[in-house]
Amino acid sequence: MHSLAYLARQPILDRDGKIYAYELLFRDSPESDIAVIASDVLATAQVLENVLNNIGIQRLIGKNKAFVNCSRNMLLDNLFGLLNPKYFVLEVLEDVEVDDAIVKAVQRYKALGFELALDDFIFNEEFITRFKPLFPYVSYVKMDVVDNSLQSMAAAATFFKTMGIKLLAEKVEDEATFKRCEEAGYDYFQGFFFAKPELVTGRKIDATSATILQLLLRIKSRPSLEELCDTLSAHEDISQNLLRFVNSDAQTRHSRIASVKDAIVWVGMQRIQEWLMLMLYARPELGMTPQSSPLFQNASHRAKFLESLARTIDENDDDFCAKAFMVGLISRMDALVRAPLETILPDAPADDEMQEALLNRNGRLGALLRLADAVELDDRDSIRTSLSELNLNSAQLKLCINETYSFTNEH
């Protein structure tokens, strides 16, 4: 039995800010300096098989697409021939030598129904000349906003649009860059701009959001049924929303649920937690259902990831695990409220330890948050450092990632 593969998953958004796809980055270990994608074909095939069989493509990407890097050898050895072309987009790496063999391989994948992309394209004569034979078969071109000038980004959009090729902007780290690329005609965007919005100083979280955060922290501390019932009942507006939510289920319409206690028993604490998170991130400024929001996806994912890591470190410390979950969740509240964390934390259920983690990345909770940052960015040096600091190993990290993907895509 192969060990689980390490996987980084980075969202790709459409012009409405909804998740369109994920780029999947496979590695044999986060402690390795060599990406599996650059290793021999057999090793890569084993990793792909293991990831897809253990985690499952639906858990990884839901109904979205998966962009996967392809080296020259992988394209020539027909590595992806057995995968479902409905879900996979094959990215031709920027260092691939384009010759007759590669053109034929690309034609074969296109005939099988796969979409193809050109990765890290530099808009200059050398790249255009080298990859021109592939243009008729390519659906996407990925342009790095760091490696291309603003003029090149705009010129590329005009150039490729005439061929019906869609443009994807990479390393979009803020809303200003997103807006420039959007105005230039880009179709898709990859980066963390949704987590670094244009902030409005002075804003705070509203009373309802603060209450929801307190309730989530209470649930994560593993209260008894009576304790959770008393906590929810103390907030009439949330209790009424909970009853409406439970009674909206067709299975309960024949017997209306009238009490908070019965609602908790019916749906269970786990679904109460999920419902509270949906309430927290269901804000008008998102302009979409929260489940399809990259902000909600990222917040719920990192909250569960930090909790899983904390449980691995000390499975009996419910308080530490609850705080880890909340730190992961609150770390994305600045994007939701569009205000700096400093103005949010006074109203959030965050003690000194949690605030140190959120503002300065200090302490054990801060180390967990730094590890989550590193995994999301596929920063292997930082991953190694954080694992060492937390006394975790790569096998434990893989298991936590697996557990997190399983949880966040099944709920």
Side-chain angles (χ1 to χ4, degrees):
M1 179 178 178
H2 303 302
S3 62
L4 291 174
Y6 161 63
L7 173 71
R9 184 186 72 169
Q10 297 176 351
I12 294 171
L13 313 181
D14 64 18
R15 291 174 65 87
D16 294 325
K18 296 180 181 179
I19 295 176
Y20 173 74
Y22 293 97
E23 179 172 1
L24 304 182
L25 305 172
F26 301 101
R27 301 193 184 283
D28 55 353
S29 167
E31 296 176 347
S32 172
D33 287 329
I34 303 175
V36 170
I37 212 75
S39 303
D40 60 69
V41 172
L42 176 60
T44 306
Q46 290 174 341
V47 172
L48 277 171
E49 177 191 18
N50 208 291
V51 170
L52 298 180
N53 287 343
N54 282 281
I55 300 177
I57 191 64
Q58 293 301 320
R59 288 180 178 179
L60 279 174
I61 65 172
K63 296 180 180 179
N64 308 112
K65 291 181 179 292
F67 281 62
V68 183
N69 287 183
C70 301
S71 67
R72 177 182 175 86
N73 287 340
M74 292 168 67
L75 288 168
L76 295 180
D77 283 24
N78 196 31
L79 180 62
F80 296 104
L82 297 178
L83 297 180
N84 189 338
K86 176 181 177 181
Y87 297 111
F88 286 90
V89 177
L90 309 182
E91 294 188 38
V92 181
L93 295 177
E94 68 277 10
D95 59 358
V96 169
E97 178 187 353
V98 179
D99 53 18
D100 288 343
I102 287 295
V103 172
K104 289 179 181 177
V106 167
Q107 289 174 332
R108 182 172 63 251
Y109 278 118
K110 184 73 172 179
L112 289 172
F114 285 94
E115 290 186 310
L116 291 105
L118 298 180
D119 191 30
D120 288 337
F121 198 89
I122 305 297
F123 193 69
N124 59 29
E125 287 300 323
E126 189 271 325
F127 265 71
I128 292 172
T129 300
R130 177 151 57 98
F131 287 101
K132 187 175 181 179
L134 301 186
F135 289 167
Y137 314 105
V138 168
S139 298
Y140 311 89
V141 170
K142 300 180 73 174
M143 296 278 294
D144 189 318
V145 300
V146 175
D147 293 334
N148 288 280
S149 66
L150 289 176
Q151 293 80 6
S152 293
M153 295 290 290
T158 302
F159 179 82
F160 286 112
K161 287 287 184 179
T162 61
M163 301 180 222
I165 296 174
K166 296 178 180 179
L167 272 292
L168 190 158
E170 296 183 282
K171 295 184 181 176
V172 180
E173 301 296 332
D174 52 55
E175 284 195 30
T177 304
F178 164 65
K179 289 175 180 176
R180 286 197 299 269
C181 294
E182 185 182 39
E183 290 169 359
Y186 279 69
D187 303 282
Y188 303 107
F189 312 88
Q190 188 172 355
F192 289 90
F193 74 88
F194 59 86
K196 297 181 181 179
E198 294 175 339
L199 299 180
V200 179
T201 58
R203 283 188 181 178
K204 298 183 178 182
I205 56 175
D206 59 34
T208 300
S209 295
T211 299
I212 293 172
L213 286 170
Q214 291 168 352
L215 290 171
L216 282 166
L217 183 59
R218 187 75 175 113
I219 288 175
K220 280 298 173 183
S221 64
R222 296 189 174 183
S224 67
L225 174 60
E226 295 299 333
E227 288 171 337
L228 180 57
C229 183
D230 291 343
T231 302
L232 283 168
S233 297
H235 304 282
E236 185 176 353
D237 54 341
I238 292 178
S239 298
Q240 292 303 313
N241 281 330
L242 172 61
L243 291 173
R244 281 193 289 269
F245 163 69
V246 174
N247 284 301
S248 68
D249 190 330
Q251 297 180 54
T252 67
R253 288 176 184 168
H254 66 282
S255 177
R256 184 171 179 80
I257 291 176
S259 73
V260 170
K261 184 175 182 178
D262 287 343
I264 296 171
V265 171
W266 179 263
V267 301
M269 288 193 186
Q270 182 59 60
R271 286 203 67 198
I272 297 290
Q273 172 195 310
E274 296 157 12
W275 171 74
L276 286 169
M277 289 184 64
L278 285 173
M279 281 189 62
L280 184 66
Y281 282 86
R283 289 294 183 267
E285 60 264 30
L286 292 179
M288 62 192 81
T289 57
Q291 295 97 320
S292 64
S293 160
L295 173 59
F296 175 79
Q297 292 271 356
N298 184 249
S300 60
H301 184 274
R302 65 164 40 202
K304 179 59 183 175
F305 181 51
L306 263 64
E307 181 187 25
S308 182
L309 290 168
R311 191 69 63 186
T312 301
I313 292 171
D314 190 345
E315 64 178 349
N316 297 315
D317 192 340
D318 290 340
D319 183 61
F320 176 54
C321 296
K323 287 182 178 180
F325 181 91
M326 292 304 297
V327 164
L329 187 62
I330 295 173
S331 68
R332 286 293 178 254
M333 285 297 294
D334 55 350
L336 170 66
V337 182
R338 303 174 71 83
L341 277 174
E342 290 86 346
T343 69
I344 296 171
L345 291 179
D347 297 312
D351 61 15
D352 290 344
E353 182 185 13
M354 295 168 69
Q355 292 198 36
E356 269 297 303
L358 287 160
L359 296 177
N360 302 313
R361 297 297 197 267
N362 289 335
R364 279 200 305 175
L365 292 172
L368 290 177
L369 204 49
R370 280 186 271 115
L371 179 54
D373 292 336
V375 168
E376 289 174 8
L377 294 169
D378 193 34
D379 183 343
R380 283 163 284 157
D381 290 338
S382 296
I383 290 172
R384 284 194 293 268
T385 300
S386 295
L387 286 176
S388 176
E389 183 178 347
L390 291 164
N391 197 28
L392 293 170
N393 57 48
S394 61
Q396 291 170 316
L397 174 61
K398 293 172 188 177
L399 287 171
C400 289
I401 291 173
N402 189 353
E403 180 180 281
T404 302
Y405 285 134
S406 299
F407 173 85
T408 54
N409 286 289
E410 288 182 346
H411 297 83

Coordinates of all heavy atoms in Angstrom, one line a residue, residues 62-93:
G62 N -15.1 18.6 -6.2 CA -16.5 18.7 -6.4 C -16.9 18.7 -7.8 O -16.6 17.7 -8.5
K63 N -17.7 19.7 -8.3 CA -18.1 19.7 -9.6 C -17.2 20.6 -10.5 O -17.6 20.9 -11.7 CB -19.6 20.2 -9.7 CG -20.6 19.3 -9.0 CD -22.0 19.9 -9.1 CE -23.0 19.0 -8.4 NZ -24.4 19.5 -8.5
N64 N -16.1 21.0 -10.0 CA -15.2 21.9 -10.7 C -14.2 21.1 -11.5 O -14.2 19.8 -11.5 CB -14.5 22.8 -9.7 CG -15.4 23.5 -8.8 OD1 -15.4 23.2 -7.6 ND2 -16.2 24.4 -9.3
K65 N -13.3 21.8 -12.2 CA -12.3 21.1 -13.0 C -11.0 21.1 -12.2 O -10.8 21.8 -11.2 CB -12.0 21.9 -14.3 CG -13.2 21.8 -15.3 CD -12.9 22.6 -16.6 CE -14.0 22.5 -17.6 NZ -14.2 21.2 -18.1
A66 N -10.1 20.3 -12.7 CA -8.8 20.1 -12.0 C -7.7 20.4 -13.1 O -7.6 19.7 -14.1 CB -8.6 18.7 -11.5
F67 N -6.9 21.4 -12.9 CA -5.7 21.7 -13.7 C -4.5 20.9 -13.1 O -4.2 21.0 -11.9 CB -5.4 23.2 -13.7 CG -6.3 24.0 -14.6 CD1 -7.7 24.1 -14.4 CD2 -5.8 24.7 -15.7 CE1 -8.5 24.9 -15.2 CE2 -6.6 25.5 -16.5 CZ -7.9 25.6 -16.3
V68 N -3.8 20.2 -14.0 CA -2.7 19.4 -13.6 C -1.5 19.7 -14.5 O -1.6 19.6 -15.7 CB -3.0 17.9 -13.6 CG1 -1.8 17.1 -13.1 CG2 -4.3 17.6 -12.8
N69 N -0.3 19.9 -13.9 CA 0.9 20.2 -14.7 C 1.3 18.9 -15.4 O 1.3 17.8 -14.9 CB 2.0 20.6 -13.7 CG 1.9 22.0 -13.2 OD1 2.7 22.5 -12.5 ND2 0.7 22.7 -13.5
C70 N 1.8 19.1 -16.6 CA 2.3 18.0 -17.5 C 3.7 18.3 -18.0 O 3.9 19.3 -18.7 CB 1.4 17.8 -18.6 SG -0.3 17.4 -18.2
S71 N 4.6 17.4 -17.7 CA 5.9 17.5 -18.3 C 5.9 16.9 -19.6 O 5.0 16.3 -20.1 CB 7.0 16.8 -17.4 OG 6.7 15.4 -17.4
R72 N 7.0 17.0 -20.3 CA 7.2 16.4 -21.7 C 7.0 14.9 -21.6 O 6.2 14.3 -22.4 CB 8.5 16.7 -22.3 CG 8.8 16.1 -23.6 CD 10.2 16.4 -24.2 NE 10.4 15.7 -25.4 CZ 10.0 16.1 -26.6 NH1 9.4 17.3 -26.7 NH2 10.3 15.4 -27.7
N73 N 7.6 14.2 -20.6 CA 7.6 12.8 -20.6 C 6.1 12.3 -20.2 O 5.7 11.3 -20.8 CB 8.5 12.3 -19.5 CG 10.0 12.3 -19.9 OD1 10.2 12.4 -21.1 ND2 10.9 12.3 -19.0
M74 N 5.4 13.1 -19.4 CA 4.1 12.7 -19.1 C 3.2 12.8 -20.3 O 2.3 11.9 -20.5 CB 3.6 13.6 -17.9 CG 4.3 13.3 -16.6 SD 3.9 14.6 -15.4 CE 2.2 14.3 -15.1
L75 N 3.3 13.8 -21.1 CA 2.5 13.9 -22.3 C 2.8 12.8 -23.3 O 1.9 12.2 -23.9 CB 2.8 15.3 -22.9 CG 2.2 16.5 -22.2 CD1 2.8 17.8 -22.8 CD2 0.7 16.5 -22.3
L76 N 4.1 12.5 -23.4 CA 4.5 11.5 -24.4 C 4.1 10.0 -24.0 O 3.9 9.2 -24.8 CB 6.0 11.6 -24.7 CG 6.4 12.8 -25.4 CD1 7.9 12.8 -25.6 CD2 5.7 13.1 -26.7
D77 N 4.1 9.8 -22.7 CA 3.8 8.4 -22.2 C 2.3 8.2 -21.9 O 1.9 7.2 -21.3 CB 4.6 8.2 -20.9 CG 6.1 7.9 -21.2 OD1 6.5 8.4 -22.2 OD2 6.7 7.3 -20.3
N78 N 1.5 9.1 -22.3 CA 0.0 9.0 -22.2 C -0.4 8.7 -20.8 O -1.3 7.8 -20.5 CB -0.4 7.8 -23.1 CG -2.0 7.9 -23.4 OD1 -2.6 8.9 -23.3 ND2 -2.6 6.7 -23.6
L79 N 0.2 9.4 -19.8 CA -0.1 9.1 -18.4 C -1.5 9.4 -18.0 O -2.1 8.7 -17.2 CB 0.8 10.0 -17.6 CG 0.7 9.9 -16.0 CD1 1.0 8.5 -15.6 CD2 1.5 10.9 -15.3
F80 N -2.2 10.3 -18.7 CA -3.5 10.7 -18.3 C -4.6 10.1 -19.1 O -5.8 10.5 -19.0 CB -3.7 12.3 -18.3 CG -2.8 13.0 -17.3 CD1 -1.6 13.6 -17.8 CD2 -3.1 13.0 -16.0 CE1 -0.8 14.2 -16.9 CE2 -2.2 13.6 -15.1 CZ -1.1 14.3 -15.5
G81 N -4.3 9.2 -20.0 CA -5.2 8.6 -20.9 C -6.4 7.9 -20.2 O -7.5 7.9 -20.8
L82 N -6.3 7.4 -19.0 CA -7.4 6.7 -18.3 C -8.2 7.6 -17.4 O -9.2 7.2 -16.8 CB -6.8 5.6 -17.5 CG -6.1 4.5 -18.3 CD1 -5.6 3.4 -17.4 CD2 -7.1 3.8 -19.3
L83 N -7.8 8.9 -17.3 CA -8.5 9.8 -16.5 C -9.7 10.4 -17.2 O -9.8 10.4 -18.4 CB -7.6 11.0 -16.0 CG -6.4 10.6 -15.2 CD1 -5.6 11.8 -14.8 CD2 -6.9 9.8 -13.9
N84 N -10.7 10.9 -16.5 CA -11.9 11.5 -17.0 C -11.6 12.9 -17.6 O -11.4 13.8 -16.8 CB -13.0 11.5 -16.0 CG -14.4 11.8 -16.6 OD1 -14.5 12.4 -17.6 ND2 -15.4 11.5 -15.8
P85 N -11.7 13.0 -18.9 CA -11.4 14.4 -19.5 C -12.5 15.4 -19.1 O -12.2 16.6 -19.3 CB -11.5 14.1 -21.0 CG -12.3 12.9 -21.2 CD -12.1 12.0 -19.9
K86 N -13.6 15.0 -18.6 CA -14.6 16.0 -18.1 C -14.1 16.8 -17.0 O -14.5 18.0 -16.9 CB -15.9 15.2 -17.6 CG -16.9 16.1 -17.1 CD -18.1 15.2 -16.6 CE -19.2 16.1 -16.0 NZ -20.3 15.3 -15.5
Y87 N -13.1 16.3 -16.2 CA -12.7 17.0 -15.0 C -11.3 17.6 -15.2 O -10.9 18.6 -14.5 CB -12.7 16.1 -13.8 CG -14.1 15.6 -13.4 CD1 -14.4 14.3 -13.6 CD2 -15.0 16.5 -12.9 CE1 -15.7 13.8 -13.3 CE2 -16.3 16.0 -12.6 CZ -16.6 14.7 -12.8 OH -17.9 14.3 -12.4
F88 N -10.4 17.0 -16.0 CA -9.0 17.4 -16.0 C -8.6 18.3 -17.1 O -9.0 18.1 -18.3 CB -8.1 16.1 -16.1 CG -8.1 15.3 -14.8 CD1 -9.0 14.4 -14.5 CD2 -7.2 15.6 -13.8 CE1 -9.0 13.7 -13.3 CE2 -7.1 15.0 -12.6 CZ -8.1 14.0 -12.4
V89 N -7.9 19.3 -16.8 CA -7.3 20.2 -17.8 C -5.8 20.0 -17.7 O -5.2 20.1 -16.6 CB -7.6 21.7 -17.5 CG1 -6.9 22.6 -18.5 CG2 -9.1 21.9 -17.6
L90 N -5.1 19.7 -18.8 CA -3.7 19.4 -18.8 C -2.9 20.6 -19.1 O -3.1 21.2 -20.2 CB -3.4 18.3 -19.8 CG -4.3 17.0 -19.7 CD1 -3.9 16.0 -20.8 CD2 -4.3 16.4 -18.3
E91 N -2.0 21.0 -18.2 CA -1.2 22.2 -18.3 C 0.1 21.8 -18.9 O 0.9 21.1 -18.3 CB -1.0 22.9 -17.0 CG -2.2 23.5 -16.4 CD -1.9 24.3 -15.1 OE1 -0.8 25.0 -15.2 OE2 -2.6 24.2 -14.1
V92 N 0.4 22.3 -20.1 CA 1.7 22.1 -20.7 C 2.7 23.1 -20.1 O 2.5 24.3 -20.2 CB 1.7 22.3 -22.3 CG1 3.0 22.0 -22.9 CG2 0.6 21.4 -22.9
L93 N 3.7 22.5 -19.5 CA 4.7 23.4 -18.7 C 5.5 24.3 -19.7 O 5.7 23.9 -20.9 CB 5.6 22.5 -17.9 CG 5.0 21.8 -16.7 CD1 6.0 20.9 -16.0 CD2 4.3 22.7 -15.8

